[in-house]
Amino acid sequence: MNNHYRKFSLVIVVLSILLGSANAQEQPGVRERAQMLLNQYSYANAATLIQKLVDKDNPRLKDLENLALCYRNMNDFEAAETWYSRVIAMPESSAINLLYYGEMLKANLKYAEAKKVFSDYSAKVGLTPQVALQLAGCDSAITWMANPLPYQIRNETGVNTPLSEFSAYPMGKLVYFTGEPENKGLNRTYGWTGNSFLKIYASMSDMEHNLTNPVVIKSGLNDAPFHQGPLVSDKSQTVFYVTRTYTGSEGEVGKAGKRKYKTSNLELYIYTKNKQTGTYQVQPFAYNKPKEYSVGHASLSSDEKTLYFVSDMPGTLGGTDIWYSDLQSDGTWGKPINVGPSVNTAGNEMFPSVSETGTLYFSTDGLPGMGGLDIFSSKGNKSNWTKAVNLRYPVNSAADDFAFFTTGPTPDGITGYLASNRKGGQGSDDIYTFNYSRPKIILALRGVAFNKKTQERLSDVTVTLSKDGSGIVAKKINEQDGTFFFQLDKESDYKVLGTKIKFYADSAMLTTKGLTKSDTLYAELRLEPLFEEGKTLRLANIHYDFDKDNIRADAAKILNELVRTMRDNPTLEIELASHTDSRGVDIYNLDLSQRRARSVVNYLVSRGIARSRMTAKGYGETRLLNRCSNGASCSAAEHQQNRRTEFTILKY
């Protein structure tokens, strides 16, 4: 089932696995247990088992495909990309795997690489409309990321969790949003994810639109047993339009492998509040038909006489479309009308919102975009709209971006909220604040990339700028003279990273905190060539807990760069070496370093690198870099210099 459509439906897993009775009597093997978990959509547990099946010299294609599928559905696109790179390298691999690989490259902001893979897919099966859309999106995304618009995007960490939060809607002094409550075994759960059913929350908001103190609202707005939300209201905060999941027993039954699932459609409900008693009169929207189609994601026009919503009712142009109903003289809503092809496409349109100025904002996967759902805008009303315009980067990303809602104009632009499951967030779907404004002071970064060995300027380097330890701000290929340039925001920490095939990446850290006037910062990136056999490169800041050999989270982030280097250079073979300082018993240090080196290899294997390309070697204290041998009096810093992890190129 399409991941985007799952944002507009509820999948309840039916507890009936269609296995033969004879098989039920047998103890299944690893592959059979993994398939059972796949049938149950338990991708994380399935991946753990499949890892054992592929950690060999000649793994089965189907096992590699299933492992890539697991990571794709877990939204671990980095790992999925690596596994698909191995899948497509197998001669018997189907052309469809090129399409999946291209989608993962695109999800990881590798638009130029994705474009090549999509073109390879087209050469095999022909240029389908889906691939033409992907190619156009790649071309646009490359331009947009190199020239980001002046939006400030901030993750609302005061309300976001590892679960899902989205559709922030201001109402008076509060902001209402939809989220998954933490499941402590007390709540009913959504079968597809195992998380609690969505509920409506309220949060405080300060002058800067920071959201804090979220609580599940206790009023009748959360009266449904399944998913509840999103929500919008009229200006008097008396009439609320709430999306709910149909609670009846009928539903569309589908089949995935040997497992059945039931799709329960969505309905729109109208809650009218009695301000004296605080109770609600609840009635379904007149055009709900949950046994046939979904209705939800409501938005009112500024004059409150037109209700926009999303549905896949008959007459829909694609998967889901935006429709509208006019308010009648008797207070009822008129027959739904499709807003038309200026907005609706053969894909899925969702999450409409209409600003005070009459601009329609919505998300779709049916127009060229950066990733999954992209946010677009159009001007007009009812079924008369201008051509939809992509809001570009950084409003849009390689992930799903949706639920764009403006809170008011500023002298230079607009402010509001959006939702996204982009990299650098707190977990699944997160709420972000956006602010479109021109900076009062101009801050910039100018840099140069060099070949570390020859000291010559290096061109065709992919330079990525990340902000505040989270998401990517901009990405571009540097100039032929090795230079690159980015605009910066004030009071922010940045990391700039340079990568190039046949080179090991380099990065630099910088900050604009404390700068009170316009300035241009400078950075140099020195990339080490990889093609020299016998060359040794040190992996900085690979730390272990005392007397432990497990890979810590901070070390994993550094090792992921080595994973990318190994993936992007498929002929590279290395020795991974671990070293200790001289403290402790010599033979124990040798064993500890061997275990640590093996842990590094195991980590890279778990991220998709073939074990045959790596050798683990622990040297203990036999290769000290300084005078700090047994009995020498040395500082902690001197001992730290000897505790290191390195890799040596064996073959390229």
Side-chain angles (χ1 to χ4, degrees):
M1 178 171 292
N2 184 287
N3 284 335
H4 304 151
Y5 188 76
R6 285 212 303 272
K7 293 187 184 294
F8 195 65
S9 64
L10 172 67
V11 179
I12 302 174
V13 177
V14 179
L15 297 177
S16 59
I17 303 175
L18 309 177
L19 298 177
S21 58
N23 288 340
Q25 302 299 319
E26 300 174 1
Q27 181 66 31
V30 173
R31 185 170 286 107
E32 289 73 21
R33 283 185 285 140
Q35 188 60 54
M36 290 172 64
L37 290 167
L38 286 173
N39 291 342
Q40 298 170 32
Y41 316 111
S42 183
Y43 297 111
N45 291 329
T48 300
L49 291 179
I50 301 172
Q51 289 276 2
K52 300 176 182 178
L53 301 174
V54 301
D55 189 5
K56 57 178 67 173
D57 289 341
N58 295 296
R60 294 187 186 182
L61 172 62
K62 185 61 178 177
D63 291 335
L64 290 173
E65 289 176 331
N66 282 339
L67 192 52
L69 170 71
C70 286
Y71 284 110
R72 192 173 92 220
N73 281 288
M74 291 157 60
N75 291 334
D76 187 344
F77 301 132
E78 280 279 357
E81 177 193 335
T82 304
W83 288 111
Y84 275 119
S85 71
R86 292 182 62 178
V87 167
I88 66 166
M90 301 185 76
E92 66 272 32
S93 175
S94 169
I96 192 64
N97 289 320
L98 285 171
L99 182 61
Y100 297 148
Y101 182 43
E103 290 173 348
M104 294 305 96
L105 288 166
K106 193 176 180 186
N108 290 322
L109 303 173
K110 296 183 175 180
Y111 294 108
E113 297 90 333
K115 184 178 177 181
K116 181 181 183 304
V117 172
F118 288 136
S119 297
D120 291 343
Y121 174 78
S122 296
K124 289 180 178 291
V125 303
L127 184 62
T128 65
Q130 178 188 10
V131 175
L133 196 67
Q134 294 279 25
L135 288 167
C138 288
D139 284 335
S140 297
I142 291 170
T143 300
W144 296 337
M145 288 204 71
N147 302 280
L149 295 177
Y151 280 88
Q152 312 299 316
I153 309 291
R154 182 185 69 225
N155 187 289
E156 287 303 313
T157 56
V159 297
N160 291 326
T161 71
L163 302 175
S164 187
E165 295 82 25
F166 60 95
S167 290
Y169 181 78
M171 197 184 310
K173 296 180 179 179
L174 298 177
V175 172
Y176 287 71
F177 66 91
T178 303
E180 290 176 327
E182 182 181 357
N183 182 11
K184 297 181 178 179
L186 302 176
N187 303 310
R188 301 184 68 182
T189 59
Y190 174 25
W192 190 277
T193 66
N195 297 332
S196 298
F197 287 111
L198 297 167
K199 295 298 177 186
I200 299 170
Y201 284 71
S203 169
M204 302 296 293
S205 176
D206 63 19
M207 296 295 293
E208 300 296 324
H209 303 294
N210 295 290
L211 302 183
T212 57
N213 302 319
V215 294
V216 178
I217 62 175
K218 303 298 184 182
S219 71
L221 294 173
N222 270 328
D223 61 339
F226 294 151
H227 287 317
Q228 190 98 355
L231 158 154
V232 296
S233 77
D234 64 357
K235 294 174 183 176
S236 70
Q237 301 176 31
T238 301
V239 183
F240 300 81
Y241 300 85
V242 181
T243 302
R244 297 181 4 179
T245 304
Y246 175 56
T247 57
S249 59
E250 295 87 353
E252 179 185 354
V253 177
K255 188 176 177 183
K258 296 181 178 180
R259 192 168 184 82
K260 291 181 179 179
Y261 60 83
K262 183 182 74 176
T263 301
S264 289
N265 287 321
L266 300 185
E267 300 179 276
L268 189 61
Y269 272 76
I270 303 172
Y271 289 65
T272 304
K273 185 175 184 178
N274 184 317
K275 292 200 172 183
Q276 278 71 42
T277 64
T279 59
Y280 293 87
Q281 178 188 353
V282 184
Q283 64 183 59
F285 182 54
Y287 304 98
N288 290 340
K289 282 193 178 179
K291 296 179 184 179
E292 300 179 23
Y293 53 78
S294 284
V295 174
H297 296 185
S299 179
L300 281 170
S301 62
S302 58
D303 63 7
E304 302 184 354
K305 293 182 179 180
T306 305
L307 180 69
Y308 295 91
F309 58 89
V310 175
S311 181
D312 57 346
M313 65 176 59
T316 295
L317 303 181
T320 58
D321 278 5
I322 299 173
W323 296 72
Y324 74 91
S325 290
D326 283 326
L327 186 64
Q328 307 299 296
S329 58
D330 62 358
T332 62
W333 290 105
K335 183 179 179 180
I337 300 172
N338 194 294
V339 302
S342 294
V343 169
N344 292 322
T345 69
N348 299 286
E349 283 69 52
M350 301 180 185
F351 297 96
S353 69
V354 182
S355 72
E356 286 294 320
T357 61
T359 300
L360 171 67
Y361 298 97
F362 65 97
S363 292
T364 181
D365 61 4
L367 293 169
M370 298 191 65
L373 292 169
D374 268 27
I375 301 169
F376 287 76
S377 68
S378 181
K379 294 185 180 297
N381 61 75
K382 298 184 180 180
S383 56
N384 182 26
W385 297 95
T386 60
K387 181 179 179 181
V389 176
N390 192 298
L391 296 195
R392 299 173 52 173
Y393 195 76
V395 168
N396 289 315
S397 70
D400 285 337
D401 304 289
F402 57 101
F404 187 94
F405 188 89
T406 61
T407 57
T410 69
D412 298 310
I414 54 176
T415 62
Y417 300 100
L418 62 88
S420 179
N421 61 354
R422 64 185 63 189
K423 288 184 179 181
Q426 300 299 304
S428 182
D429 299 321
D430 277 0
I431 295 170
Y432 290 79
T433 304
F434 69 82
N435 179 41
Y436 180 92
S437 61
R438 297 288 178 181
K440 294 181 174 60
I441 64 172
I442 306 299
L443 300 171
L445 164 65
R446 187 174 298 280
V448 183
F450 293 93
N451 181 319
K452 188 173 181 179
K453 179 182 179 183
T454 66
Q455 303 304 315
E456 296 175 342
R457 293 194 175 200
L458 193 61
S459 61
D460 297 318
V461 175
T462 300
V463 186
T464 303
L465 186 69
S466 300
K467 177 180 172 182
D468 294 330
S470 57
I472 293 175
V473 175
K475 183 176 183 178
K476 62 177 66 174
I477 305 297
N478 71 337
E479 303 295 335
Q480 287 300 305
D481 63 357
T483 61
F484 53 89
F485 180 86
F486 294 105
Q487 290 189 339
L488 306 176
D489 296 330
K490 62 182 181 179
E491 297 299 318
S492 301
D493 294 320
Y494 288 95
K495 176 182 178 180
V496 58
L497 171 71
T499 59
K500 182 179 171 72
I501 300 297
K502 297 186 178 181
F503 286 80
Y504 194 71
D506 190 28
S507 62
M509 310 297 294
L510 57 145
T511 184
T512 60
K513 290 181 177 177
L515 298 180
T516 57
K517 59 182 181 180
S518 297
D519 197 1
T520 299
L521 307 184
Y522 180 76
E524 291 184 356
L525 299 176
R526 298 186 178 275
L527 282 66
E528 185 111 17
L530 286 172
F531 47 78
E532 296 180 33
E533 293 184 8
K535 171 180 284 188
T536 297
L537 294 91
R538 187 176 306 172
L539 298 172
N541 300 316
I542 302 293
H543 299 306
Y544 299 86
D545 292 325
F546 177 72
D547 201 29
K548 302 290 184 181
D549 58 22
N550 59 293
I551 302 299
R552 296 184 350 185
D554 54 351
K557 293 180 180 179
I558 298 165
L559 290 175
N560 285 341
E561 193 54 56
L562 180 56
V563 171
R564 297 181 192 111
T565 298
M566 295 289 288
R567 179 188 64 212
D568 295 342
N569 296 273
T571 63
L572 182 63
E573 297 180 13
I574 63 173
E575 176 192 87
L576 273 160
S578 179
H579 304 265
T580 68
D581 60 38
S582 62
R583 293 175 293 184
V585 179
D586 292 7
I587 189 66
Y588 179 80
N589 283 340
L590 197 63
D591 177 69
L592 178 62
S593 64
Q594 180 65 35
R595 286 189 281 121
R596 287 177 171 174
R598 193 160 49 239
S599 291
V600 174
V601 168
N602 288 340
Y603 178 79
L604 269 66
V605 168
S606 75
R607 303 300 289 179
I609 306 304
R611 189 178 295 274
S612 59
R613 297 174 59 194
M614 298 174 289
T615 301
K617 180 66 175 178
Y619 287 96
E621 57 186 88
T622 63
R623 295 189 175 184
L624 301 176
L625 297 177
N626 54 30
R627 61 180 182 83
C628 299
S629 58
N630 289 337
S633 178
C634 294
S635 67
E638 289 175 312
H639 283 302
Q640 176 64 55
Q641 186 180 3
N642 290 316
R643 296 195 303 273
R644 65 198 189 276
T645 299
E646 301 170 331
F647 71 91
T648 300
I649 298 172
L650 301 178
K651 182 180 178 182
Y652 193 89

